[in-house]
Amino acid sequence: MLSWNSNLWPPFTSIASASPPQKVIAGNGALIELENGQKLIDAISSWWVTLHGHANPFIADAIASQAKQLEQVIFADFVHPQAETLAKRLSELTTLERLFFSDNGSTAVEVAIKIACQWWMNIEEPRHQIIAFEGAYHGDTFGAMAVGERNLFNAPFEDMLFPVSRVPWPATWWNNEQIDKQESNCLEKLDILLETPTAAVIVEPIVQGAGGMAMVRKEFLRAVEQRVHQAGALLIADEVLTGFGRCGSLFAFQKASIKPDLIALSKGLTGGFLPMGVTLATEKIFQAFVSEDPRLTFWHGHSFTANPLGCAAANASLDLLLKDPKCYEEFEARHLPYLQELSKNPKVSKIRLNGTIAAFDLKVKEPSGYLNTAGKIFKSHVLEQGVFIRPLGNVVYLLPPLCITDQQLKKCYSAINIGLNKF
Ligand SMILES: *Cc1c(COP(=O)(O)O)cnc(C)c1O
């Protein structure tokens, strides 16, 4: 019998209604191994972080040797080679010159928002409006909650969240005939909002993750970028999920051919080994913080800024990605035939695919959304087949580590099909 640990408080879990977690003792590639010896396919990369697979030996070795060399040093007074290397590489890859370290996706977003707002102060043109999209998720700290969709999760803090203007998100899927109309409605709304001086617009490029793997067309993002820059506002790309190949290109903004002014990265950054976030900014933004006047300084920092172990993991993960870009570039083609098959199933709707991320909605009678219980039941059927997924309400998705074998991927889809039969 599973039971709850009496000393732990688990994340995002309704203790009274959830079943207690299973104990994991090891991970290997796409598999996680339970205490009872059972092996499960981790079809969602352990909350989207595990990039090359569990316990990847190359990344593990890089962390181990870094730990014996230098485990941590205060980053306000010192730099170290791993951080310099990582900053140079990410700057070259994104073309945003300056990199600020923090600890996770939420802090990477917080930093981006704070930099954007202070930048307008520093150039003596204060602007206050921040625009975000409906359905967005940017993390769980206060600033990140404020820009995210207001919902059950952050309702207790509503009064404490700064105001944010919202634009609808024109999510699309295979054979969506309404998409042109949806997009023009969103852009009209954006145009109206941008008549007010705007500090920044924050977007999850290509895919809103926690909002239900809601995907938009590249054309829409290009239209957004053009309007945002026309209005002189800063564009923040929250690539905490989409970065590092998840959408089939190294970064999603590249796939959409847009140029953000600030980028937040985390999750896959260290290959999923260690918590770390980074915020990239253009040199133009950075220069507005360089002054003898202390009010212009960006007074923000975390104890573990640029942790050398995290940097070593991130550099090793980048080595793997850059050595074999096909592993993410060609992933979409691996999902495709299975989704084409699924599209014939009457219980499935709104199929969508981008790079490594494949998703569909379970057709349900009750309202869709995170609290819809269909996904929970579906999840248990799939788990019986040895495949771990974590639907978002009635949205089922696969977001596997890049190392997943063809046979393992096949097993994921056959588990989904068995789940659909029982559903
Ligand atoms: C997960 C996520 C975050 C928050 O990252 P944490 O590391 O969980 O704080 C922010 N933005 C997006 C798009 C995410 O998917």
Side-chain angles (χ1 to χ4, degrees), residues 1-25:
M1 252 320 258
L2 294 174
S3 60
W4 292 96
N5 180 299
S6 54
N7 302 115
L8 290 173
W9 192 328
F12 260 113
T13 302
S14 160
I15 313 285
S17 59
S19 40
Q22 311 204 60
K23 199 174 284 184
V24 172
I25 54 159

mmCIF file with all atom_site columns, all heavy atoms in Angstrom, residues 1-25:
data_model
loop_
_atom_site.group_PDB
_atom_site.id
_atom_site.type_symbol
_atom_site.label_atom_id
_atom_site.label_alt_id
_atom_site.label_comp_id
_atom_site.label_asym_id
_atom_site.label_entity_id
_atom_site.label_seq_id
_atom_site.pdbx_PDB_ins_code
_atom_site.Cartn_x
_atom_site.Cartn_y
_atom_site.Cartn_z
_atom_site.occupancy
_atom_site.B_iso_or_equiv
_atom_site.pdbx_formal_charge
_atom_site.auth_seq_id
_atom_site.auth_comp_id
_atom_site.auth_asym_id
_atom_site.auth_atom_id
_atom_site.pdbx_PDB_model_num
ATOM 1   N N   . MET A 1 1  ? 0.841  -1.205 0.000   1.00 0.00 ? 1  MET A N   1
ATOM 2   C CA  . MET A 1 1  ? 0.000  0.000  0.000   1.00 0.00 ? 1  MET A CA  1
ATOM 3   C C   . MET A 1 1  ? 0.875  1.255  0.000   1.00 0.00 ? 1  MET A C   1
ATOM 4   O O   . MET A 1 1  ? 1.802  1.373  0.799   1.00 0.00 ? 1  MET A O   1
ATOM 5   C CB  . MET A 1 1  ? -0.858 -0.005 1.272   1.00 0.00 ? 1  MET A CB  1
ATOM 6   C CG  . MET A 1 1  ? -2.358 -0.295 1.075   1.00 0.00 ? 1  MET A CG  1
ATOM 7   S SD  . MET A 1 1  ? -3.101 0.453  -0.353  1.00 0.00 ? 1  MET A SD  1
ATOM 8   C CE  . MET A 1 1  ? -3.968 1.834  0.373   1.00 0.00 ? 1  MET A CE  1
ATOM 9   N N   . LEU A 1 2  ? 0.545  2.182  -0.872  1.00 0.00 ? 2  LEU A N   1
ATOM 10  C CA  . LEU A 1 2  ? 1.262  3.448  -0.862  1.00 0.00 ? 2  LEU A CA  1
ATOM 11  C C   . LEU A 1 2  ? 0.744  4.320  0.272   1.00 0.00 ? 2  LEU A C   1
ATOM 12  O O   . LEU A 1 2  ? -0.431 4.261  0.624   1.00 0.00 ? 2  LEU A O   1
ATOM 13  C CB  . LEU A 1 2  ? 1.027  4.178  -2.183  1.00 0.00 ? 2  LEU A CB  1
ATOM 14  C CG  . LEU A 1 2  ? 1.605  3.533  -3.452  1.00 0.00 ? 2  LEU A CG  1
ATOM 15  C CD1 . LEU A 1 2  ? 1.152  4.304  -4.670  1.00 0.00 ? 2  LEU A CD1 1
ATOM 16  C CD2 . LEU A 1 2  ? 3.110  3.489  -3.379  1.00 0.00 ? 2  LEU A CD2 1
ATOM 17  N N   . SER A 1 3  ? 1.636  5.104  0.850   1.00 0.00 ? 3  SER A N   1
ATOM 18  C CA  . SER A 1 3  ? 1.160  6.034  1.875   1.00 0.00 ? 3  SER A CA  1
ATOM 19  C C   . SER A 1 3  ? 1.908  7.358  1.744   1.00 0.00 ? 3  SER A C   1
ATOM 20  O O   . SER A 1 3  ? 2.951  7.430  1.108   1.00 0.00 ? 3  SER A O   1
ATOM 21  C CB  . SER A 1 3  ? 1.382  5.429  3.257   1.00 0.00 ? 3  SER A CB  1
ATOM 22  O OG  . SER A 1 3  ? 2.758  5.188  3.432   1.00 0.00 ? 3  SER A OG  1
ATOM 23  N N   . TRP A 1 4  ? 1.361  8.374  2.350   1.00 0.00 ? 4  TRP A N   1
ATOM 24  C CA  . TRP A 1 4  ? 1.977  9.699  2.292   1.00 0.00 ? 4  TRP A CA  1
ATOM 25  C C   . TRP A 1 4  ? 3.104  9.785  3.309   1.00 0.00 ? 4  TRP A C   1
ATOM 26  O O   . TRP A 1 4  ? 2.968  9.348  4.439   1.00 0.00 ? 4  TRP A O   1
ATOM 27  C CB  . TRP A 1 4  ? 0.946  10.783 2.608   1.00 0.00 ? 4  TRP A CB  1
ATOM 28  C CG  . TRP A 1 4  ? -0.105 10.916 1.550   1.00 0.00 ? 4  TRP A CG  1
ATOM 29  C CD1 . TRP A 1 4  ? -1.342 10.340 1.549   1.00 0.00 ? 4  TRP A CD1 1
ATOM 30  C CD2 . TRP A 1 4  ? -0.002 11.659 0.340   1.00 0.00 ? 4  TRP A CD2 1
ATOM 31  N NE1 . TRP A 1 4  ? -2.028 10.679 0.405   1.00 0.00 ? 4  TRP A NE1 1
ATOM 32  C CE2 . TRP A 1 4  ? -1.228 11.493 -0.357  1.00 0.00 ? 4  TRP A CE2 1
ATOM 33  C CE3 . TRP A 1 4  ? 0.991  12.449 -0.231  1.00 0.00 ? 4  TRP A CE3 1
ATOM 34  C CZ2 . TRP A 1 4  ? -1.471 12.090 -1.587  1.00 0.00 ? 4  TRP A CZ2 1
ATOM 35  C CZ3 . TRP A 1 4  ? 0.745  13.041 -1.458  1.00 0.00 ? 4  TRP A CZ3 1
ATOM 36  C CH2 . TRP A 1 4  ? -0.476 12.861 -2.118  1.00 0.00 ? 4  TRP A CH2 1
ATOM 37  N N   . ASN A 1 5  ? 4.199  10.385 2.929   1.00 0.00 ? 5  ASN A N   1
ATOM 38  C CA  . ASN A 1 5  ? 5.282  10.668 3.867   1.00 0.00 ? 5  ASN A CA  1
ATOM 39  C C   . ASN A 1 5  ? 4.807  11.757 4.824   1.00 0.00 ? 5  ASN A C   1
ATOM 40  O O   . ASN A 1 5  ? 4.247  12.772 4.398   1.00 0.00 ? 5  ASN A O   1
ATOM 41  C CB  . ASN A 1 5  ? 6.501  11.151 3.074   1.00 0.00 ? 5  ASN A CB  1
ATOM 42  C CG  . ASN A 1 5  ? 7.674  11.477 3.968   1.00 0.00 ? 5  ASN A CG  1
ATOM 43  O OD1 . ASN A 1 5  ? 7.590  12.342 4.826   1.00 0.00 ? 5  ASN A OD1 1
ATOM 44  N ND2 . ASN A 1 5  ? 8.769  10.793 3.748   1.00 0.00 ? 5  ASN A ND2 1
ATOM 45  N N   . SER A 1 6  ? 4.996  11.536 6.132   1.00 0.00 ? 6  SER A N   1
ATOM 46  C CA  . SER A 1 6  ? 4.429  12.478 7.099   1.00 0.00 ? 6  SER A CA  1
ATOM 47  C C   . SER A 1 6  ? 5.271  13.741 7.273   1.00 0.00 ? 6  SER A C   1
ATOM 48  O O   . SER A 1 6  ? 4.904  14.630 8.043   1.00 0.00 ? 6  SER A O   1
ATOM 49  C CB  . SER A 1 6  ? 4.216  11.786 8.443   1.00 0.00 ? 6  SER A CB  1
ATOM 50  O OG  . SER A 1 6  ? 5.420  11.194 8.845   1.00 0.00 ? 6  SER A OG  1
ATOM 51  N N   . ASN A 1 7  ? 6.398  13.833 6.582   1.00 0.00 ? 7  ASN A N   1
ATOM 52  C CA  . ASN A 1 7  ? 7.223  15.038 6.700   1.00 0.00 ? 7  ASN A CA  1
ATOM 53  C C   . ASN A 1 7  ? 7.299  15.874 5.421   1.00 0.00 ? 7  ASN A C   1
ATOM 54  O O   . ASN A 1 7  ? 7.918  16.936 5.419   1.00 0.00 ? 7  ASN A O   1
ATOM 55  C CB  . ASN A 1 7  ? 8.654  14.671 7.104   1.00 0.00 ? 7  ASN A CB  1
ATOM 56  C CG  . ASN A 1 7  ? 8.692  13.911 8.400   1.00 0.00 ? 7  ASN A CG  1
ATOM 57  O OD1 . ASN A 1 7  ? 9.076  12.741 8.436   1.00 0.00 ? 7  ASN A OD1 1
ATOM 58  N ND2 . ASN A 1 7  ? 8.243  14.543 9.479   1.00 0.00 ? 7  ASN A ND2 1
ATOM 59  N N   . LEU A 1 8  ? 6.694  15.374 4.369   1.00 0.00 ? 8  LEU A N   1
ATOM 60  C CA  . LEU A 1 8  ? 6.836  16.080 3.089   1.00 0.00 ? 8  LEU A CA  1
ATOM 61  C C   . LEU A 1 8  ? 5.553  16.801 2.694   1.00 0.00 ? 8  LEU A C   1
ATOM 62  O O   . LEU A 1 8  ? 4.453  16.363 3.026   1.00 0.00 ? 8  LEU A O   1
ATOM 63  C CB  . LEU A 1 8  ? 7.214  15.092 1.980   1.00 0.00 ? 8  LEU A CB  1
ATOM 64  C CG  . LEU A 1 8  ? 8.622  14.505 2.063   1.00 0.00 ? 8  LEU A CG  1
ATOM 65  C CD1 . LEU A 1 8  ? 8.804  13.425 1.010   1.00 0.00 ? 8  LEU A CD1 1
ATOM 66  C CD2 . LEU A 1 8  ? 9.680  15.591 1.899   1.00 0.00 ? 8  LEU A CD2 1
ATOM 67  N N   . TRP A 1 9  ? 5.734  17.866 1.985   1.00 0.00 ? 9  TRP A N   1
ATOM 68  C CA  . TRP A 1 9  ? 4.618  18.648 1.435   1.00 0.00 ? 9  TRP A CA  1
ATOM 69  C C   . TRP A 1 9  ? 4.814  18.689 -0.086  1.00 0.00 ? 9  TRP A C   1
ATOM 70  O O   . TRP A 1 9  ? 5.626  19.452 -0.570  1.00 0.00 ? 9  TRP A O   1
ATOM 71  C CB  . TRP A 1 9  ? 4.642  20.059 2.053   1.00 0.00 ? 9  TRP A CB  1
ATOM 72  C CG  . TRP A 1 9  ? 3.410  20.862 1.808   1.00 0.00 ? 9  TRP A CG  1
ATOM 73  C CD1 . TRP A 1 9  ? 2.582  20.821 0.718   1.00 0.00 ? 9  TRP A CD1 1
ATOM 74  C CD2 . TRP A 1 9  ? 2.864  21.857 2.676   1.00 0.00 ? 9  TRP A CD2 1
ATOM 75  N NE1 . TRP A 1 9  ? 1.569  21.717 0.861   1.00 0.00 ? 9  TRP A NE1 1
ATOM 76  C CE2 . TRP A 1 9  ? 1.709  22.375 2.056   1.00 0.00 ? 9  TRP A CE2 1
ATOM 77  C CE3 . TRP A 1 9  ? 3.236  22.372 3.929   1.00 0.00 ? 9  TRP A CE3 1
ATOM 78  C CZ2 . TRP A 1 9  ? 0.934  23.385 2.629   1.00 0.00 ? 9  TRP A CZ2 1
ATOM 79  C CZ3 . TRP A 1 9  ? 2.474  23.374 4.495   1.00 0.00 ? 9  TRP A CZ3 1
ATOM 80  C CH2 . TRP A 1 9  ? 1.324  23.872 3.853   1.00 0.00 ? 9  TRP A CH2 1
ATOM 81  N N   . PRO A 1 10 ? 4.118  17.862 -0.823  1.00 0.00 ? 10 PRO A N   1
ATOM 82  C CA  . PRO A 1 10 ? 4.405  17.736 -2.256  1.00 0.00 ? 10 PRO A CA  1
ATOM 83  C C   . PRO A 1 10 ? 3.895  18.920 -3.072  1.00 0.00 ? 10 PRO A C   1
ATOM 84  O O   . PRO A 1 10 ? 2.943  19.596 -2.672  1.00 0.00 ? 10 PRO A O   1
ATOM 85  C CB  . PRO A 1 10 ? 3.684  16.447 -2.657  1.00 0.00 ? 10 PRO A CB  1
ATOM 86  C CG  . PRO A 1 10 ? 2.623  16.274 -1.637  1.00 0.00 ? 10 PRO A CG  1
ATOM 87  C CD  . PRO A 1 10 ? 3.051  16.954 -0.382  1.00 0.00 ? 10 PRO A CD  1
ATOM 88  N N   . PRO A 1 11 ? 4.523  19.181 -4.238  1.00 0.00 ? 11 PRO A N   1
ATOM 89  C CA  . PRO A 1 11 ? 4.144  20.327 -5.074  1.00 0.00 ? 11 PRO A CA  1
ATOM 90  C C   . PRO A 1 11 ? 2.874  20.049 -5.876  1.00 0.00 ? 11 PRO A C   1
ATOM 91  O O   . PRO A 1 11 ? 2.645  18.903 -6.283  1.00 0.00 ? 11 PRO A O   1
ATOM 92  C CB  . PRO A 1 11 ? 5.334  20.457 -6.031  1.00 0.00 ? 11 PRO A CB  1
ATOM 93  C CG  . PRO A 1 11 ? 5.844  19.060 -6.176  1.00 0.00 ? 11 PRO A CG  1
ATOM 94  C CD  . PRO A 1 11 ? 5.589  18.378 -4.854  1.00 0.00 ? 11 PRO A CD  1
ATOM 95  N N   . PHE A 1 12 ? 2.082  21.089 -6.109  1.00 0.00 ? 12 PHE A N   1
ATOM 96  C CA  . PHE A 1 12 ? 0.926  21.003 -7.010  1.00 0.00 ? 12 PHE A CA  1
ATOM 97  C C   . PHE A 1 12 ? 0.091  19.750 -6.761  1.00 0.00 ? 12 PHE A C   1
ATOM 98  O O   . PHE A 1 12 ? -0.280 19.056 -7.708  1.00 0.00 ? 12 PHE A O   1
ATOM 99  C CB  . PHE A 1 12 ? 1.416  20.988 -8.475  1.00 0.00 ? 12 PHE A CB  1
ATOM 100 C CG  . PHE A 1 12 ? 1.294  22.345 -9.132  1.00 0.00 ? 12 PHE A CG  1
ATOM 101 C CD1 . PHE A 1 12 ? 2.420  23.057 -9.506  1.00 0.00 ? 12 PHE A CD1 1
ATOM 102 C CD2 . PHE A 1 12 ? 0.042  22.900 -9.356  1.00 0.00 ? 12 PHE A CD2 1
ATOM 103 C CE1 . PHE A 1 12 ? 2.303  24.303 -10.094 1.00 0.00 ? 12 PHE A CE1 1
ATOM 104 C CE2 . PHE A 1 12 ? -0.084 24.139 -9.954  1.00 0.00 ? 12 PHE A CE2 1
ATOM 105 C CZ  . PHE A 1 12 ? 1.059  24.838 -10.315 1.00 0.00 ? 12 PHE A CZ  1
ATOM 106 N N   . THR A 1 13 ? -0.176 19.454 -5.504  1.00 0.00 ? 13 THR A N   1
ATOM 107 C CA  . THR A 1 13 ? -0.885 18.215 -5.193  1.00 0.00 ? 13 THR A CA  1
ATOM 108 C C   . THR A 1 13 ? -2.007 18.480 -4.212  1.00 0.00 ? 13 THR A C   1
ATOM 109 O O   . THR A 1 13 ? -1.788 19.094 -3.166  1.00 0.00 ? 13 THR A O   1
ATOM 110 C CB  . THR A 1 13 ? 0.096  17.177 -4.579  1.00 0.00 ? 13 THR A CB  1
ATOM 111 O OG1 . THR A 1 13 ? 1.156  16.956 -5.496  1.00 0.00 ? 13 THR A OG1 1
ATOM 112 C CG2 . THR A 1 13 ? -0.609 15.859 -4.286  1.00 0.00 ? 13 THR A CG2 1
ATOM 113 N N   . SER A 1 14 ? -3.184 18.027 -4.561  1.00 0.00 ? 14 SER A N   1
ATOM 114 C CA  . SER A 1 14 ? -4.307 18.086 -3.642  1.00 0.00 ? 14 SER A CA  1
ATOM 115 C C   . SER A 1 14 ? -4.263 16.802 -2.814  1.00 0.00 ? 14 SER A C   1
ATOM 116 O O   . SER A 1 14 ? -4.675 15.732 -3.256  1.00 0.00 ? 14 SER A O   1
ATOM 117 C CB  . SER A 1 14 ? -5.605 18.181 -4.453  1.00 0.00 ? 14 SER A CB  1
ATOM 118 O OG  . SER A 1 14 ? -6.687 17.793 -3.648  1.00 0.00 ? 14 SER A OG  1
ATOM 119 N N   . ILE A 1 15 ? -3.712 16.907 -1.613  1.00 0.00 ? 15 ILE A N   1
ATOM 120 C CA  . ILE A 1 15 ? -3.407 15.728 -0.787  1.00 0.00 ? 15 ILE A CA  1
ATOM 121 C C   . ILE A 1 15 ? -4.670 14.892 -0.547  1.00 0.00 ? 15 ILE A C   1
ATOM 122 O O   . ILE A 1 15 ? -4.627 13.672 -0.558  1.00 0.00 ? 15 ILE A O   1
ATOM 123 C CB  . ILE A 1 15 ? -2.812 16.141 0.587   1.00 0.00 ? 15 ILE A CB  1
ATOM 124 C CG1 . ILE A 1 15 ? -1.714 17.193 0.409   1.00 0.00 ? 15 ILE A CG1 1
ATOM 125 C CG2 . ILE A 1 15 ? -2.318 14.931 1.370   1.00 0.00 ? 15 ILE A CG2 1
ATOM 126 C CD1 . ILE A 1 15 ? -0.417 16.689 -0.117  1.00 0.00 ? 15 ILE A CD1 1
ATOM 127 N N   . ALA A 1 16 ? -5.779 15.577 -0.331  1.00 0.00 ? 16 ALA A N   1
ATOM 128 C CA  . ALA A 1 16 ? -7.000 14.849 0.043   1.00 0.00 ? 16 ALA A CA  1
ATOM 129 C C   . ALA A 1 16 ? -7.557 13.994 -1.095  1.00 0.00 ? 16 ALA A C   1
ATOM 130 O O   . ALA A 1 16 ? -8.269 13.026 -0.848  1.00 0.00 ? 16 ALA A O   1
ATOM 131 C CB  . ALA A 1 16 ? -8.059 15.837 0.515   1.00 0.00 ? 16 ALA A CB  1
ATOM 132 N N   . SER A 1 17 ? -7.237 14.343 -2.330  1.00 0.00 ? 17 SER A N   1
ATOM 133 C CA  . SER A 1 17 ? -7.831 13.576 -3.428  1.00 0.00 ? 17 SER A CA  1
ATOM 134 C C   . SER A 1 17 ? -6.813 12.824 -4.282  1.00 0.00 ? 17 SER A C   1
ATOM 135 O O   . SER A 1 17 ? -7.183 11.918 -5.025  1.00 0.00 ? 17 SER A O   1
ATOM 136 C CB  . SER A 1 17 ? -8.683 14.496 -4.308  1.00 0.00 ? 17 SER A CB  1
ATOM 137 O OG  . SER A 1 17 ? -7.881 15.526 -4.821  1.00 0.00 ? 17 SER A OG  1
ATOM 138 N N   . ALA A 1 18 ? -5.540 13.161 -4.173  1.00 0.00 ? 18 ALA A N   1
ATOM 139 C CA  . ALA A 1 18 ? -4.531 12.491 -5.008  1.00 0.00 ? 18 ALA A CA  1
ATOM 140 C C   . ALA A 1 18 ? -4.137 11.161 -4.373  1.00 0.00 ? 18 ALA A C   1
ATOM 141 O O   . ALA A 1 18 ? -4.354 10.949 -3.177  1.00 0.00 ? 18 ALA A O   1
ATOM 142 C CB  . ALA A 1 18 ? -3.305 13.377 -5.159  1.00 0.00 ? 18 ALA A CB  1
ATOM 143 N N   . SER A 1 19 ? -3.552 10.264 -5.173  1.00 0.00 ? 19 SER A N   1
ATOM 144 C CA  . SER A 1 19 ? -2.999 9.061  -4.554  1.00 0.00 ? 19 SER A CA  1
ATOM 145 C C   . SER A 1 19 ? -1.530 9.327  -4.227  1.00 0.00 ? 19 SER A C   1
ATOM 146 O O   . SER A 1 19 ? -0.850 10.085 -4.924  1.00 0.00 ? 19 SER A O   1
ATOM 147 C CB  . SER A 1 19 ? -3.157 7.844  -5.456  1.00 0.00 ? 19 SER A CB  1
ATOM 148 O OG  . SER A 1 19 ? -2.914 8.188  -6.787  1.00 0.00 ? 19 SER A OG  1
ATOM 149 N N   . PRO A 1 20 ? -1.041 8.704  -3.131  1.00 0.00 ? 20 PRO A N   1
ATOM 150 C CA  . PRO A 1 20 ? 0.325  8.989  -2.703  1.00 0.00 ? 20 PRO A CA  1
ATOM 151 C C   . PRO A 1 20 ? 1.341  8.623  -3.788  1.00 0.00 ? 20 PRO A C   1
ATOM 152 O O   . PRO A 1 20 ? 1.083  7.723  -4.586  1.00 0.00 ? 20 PRO A O   1
ATOM 153 C CB  . PRO A 1 20 ? 0.512  8.086  -1.482  1.00 0.00 ? 20 PRO A CB  1
ATOM 154 C CG  . PRO A 1 20 ? -0.850 7.713  -1.039  1.00 0.00 ? 20 PRO A CG  1
ATOM 155 C CD  . PRO A 1 20 ? -1.707 7.729  -2.255  1.00 0.00 ? 20 PRO A CD  1
ATOM 156 N N   . PRO A 1 21 ? 2.472  9.310  -3.814  1.00 0.00 ? 21 PRO A N   1
ATOM 157 C CA  . PRO A 1 21 ? 3.451  9.075  -4.880  1.00 0.00 ? 21 PRO A CA  1
ATOM 158 C C   . PRO A 1 21 ? 4.179  7.739  -4.705  1.00 0.00 ? 21 PRO A C   1
ATOM 159 O O   . PRO A 1 21 ? 4.289  7.228  -3.601  1.00 0.00 ? 21 PRO A O   1
ATOM 160 C CB  . PRO A 1 21 ? 4.427  10.239 -4.726  1.00 0.00 ? 21 PRO A CB  1
ATOM 161 C CG  . PRO A 1 21 ? 4.297  10.677 -3.316  1.00 0.00 ? 21 PRO A CG  1
ATOM 162 C CD  . PRO A 1 21 ? 2.902  10.376 -2.891  1.00 0.00 ? 21 PRO A CD  1
ATOM 163 N N   . GLN A 1 22 ? 4.655  7.211  -5.815  1.00 0.00 ? 22 GLN A N   1
ATOM 164 C CA  . GLN A 1 22 ? 5.444  5.985  -5.778  1.00 0.00 ? 22 GLN A CA  1
ATOM 165 C C   . GLN A 1 22 ? 6.913  6.339  -5.556  1.00 0.00 ? 22 GLN A C   1
ATOM 166 O O   . GLN A 1 22 ? 7.352  7.418  -5.915  1.00 0.00 ? 22 GLN A O   1
ATOM 167 C CB  . GLN A 1 22 ? 5.312  5.249  -7.102  1.00 0.00 ? 22 GLN A CB  1
ATOM 168 C CG  . GLN A 1 22 ? 3.879  5.106  -7.552  1.00 0.00 ? 22 GLN A CG  1
ATOM 169 C CD  . GLN A 1 22 ? 3.712  3.919  -8.486  1.00 0.00 ? 22 GLN A CD  1
ATOM 170 O OE1 . GLN A 1 22 ? 3.987  2.786  -8.114  1.00 0.00 ? 22 GLN A OE1 1
ATOM 171 N NE2 . GLN A 1 22 ? 3.288  4.198  -9.695  1.00 0.00 ? 22 GLN A NE2 1
ATOM 172 N N   . LYS A 1 23 ? 7.654  5.398  -4.990  1.00 0.00 ? 23 LYS A N   1
ATOM 173 C CA  . LYS A 1 23 ? 9.060  5.679  -4.686  1.00 0.00 ? 23 LYS A CA  1
ATOM 174 C C   . LYS A 1 23 ? 9.955  5.281  -5.851  1.00 0.00 ? 23 LYS A C   1
ATOM 175 O O   . LYS A 1 23 ? 9.895  4.159  -6.332  1.00 0.00 ? 23 LYS A O   1
ATOM 176 C CB  . LYS A 1 23 ? 9.487  4.943  -3.417  1.00 0.00 ? 23 LYS A CB  1
ATOM 177 C CG  . LYS A 1 23 ? 10.740 5.532  -2.802  1.00 0.00 ? 23 LYS A CG  1
ATOM 178 C CD  . LYS A 1 23 ? 11.099 4.908  -1.473  1.00 0.00 ? 23 LYS A CD  1
ATOM 179 C CE  . LYS A 1 23 ? 10.208 5.408  -0.345  1.00 0.00 ? 23 LYS A CE  1
ATOM 180 N NZ  . LYS A 1 23 ? 10.636 4.873  0.964   1.00 0.00 ? 23 LYS A NZ  1
ATOM 181 N N   . VAL A 1 24 ? 10.795 6.222  -6.262  1.00 0.00 ? 24 VAL A N   1
ATOM 182 C CA  . VAL A 1 24 ? 11.721 5.991  -7.375  1.00 0.00 ? 24 VAL A CA  1
ATOM 183 C C   . VAL A 1 24 ? 13.123 5.793  -6.816  1.00 0.00 ? 24 VAL A C   1
ATOM 184 O O   . VAL A 1 24 ? 13.558 6.537  -5.937  1.00 0.00 ? 24 VAL A O   1
ATOM 185 C CB  . VAL A 1 24 ? 11.718 7.207  -8.335  1.00 0.00 ? 24 VAL A CB  1
ATOM 186 C CG1 . VAL A 1 24 ? 12.814 7.094  -9.384  1.00 0.00 ? 24 VAL A CG1 1
ATOM 187 C CG2 . VAL A 1 24 ? 10.366 7.336  -9.006  1.00 0.00 ? 24 VAL A CG2 1
ATOM 188 N N   . ILE A 1 25 ? 13.827 4.786  -7.314  1.00 0.00 ? 25 ILE A N   1
ATOM 189 C CA  . ILE A 1 25 ? 15.195 4.589  -6.828  1.00 0.00 ? 25 ILE A CA  1
ATOM 190 C C   . ILE A 1 25 ? 16.262 4.853  -7.877  1.00 0.00 ? 25 ILE A C   1
ATOM 191 O O   . ILE A 1 25 ? 17.419 5.051  -7.547  1.00 0.00 ? 25 ILE A O   1
ATOM 192 C CB  . ILE A 1 25 ? 15.403 3.173  -6.236  1.00 0.00 ? 25 ILE A CB  1
ATOM 193 C CG1 . ILE A 1 25 ? 14.982 2.117  -7.260  1.00 0.00 ? 25 ILE A CG1 1
ATOM 194 C CG2 . ILE A 1 25 ? 14.640 3.015  -4.929  1.00 0.00 ? 25 ILE A CG2 1
ATOM 195 C CD1 . ILE A 1 25 ? 15.603 0.776  -6.962  1.00 0.00 ? 25 ILE A CD1 1
#
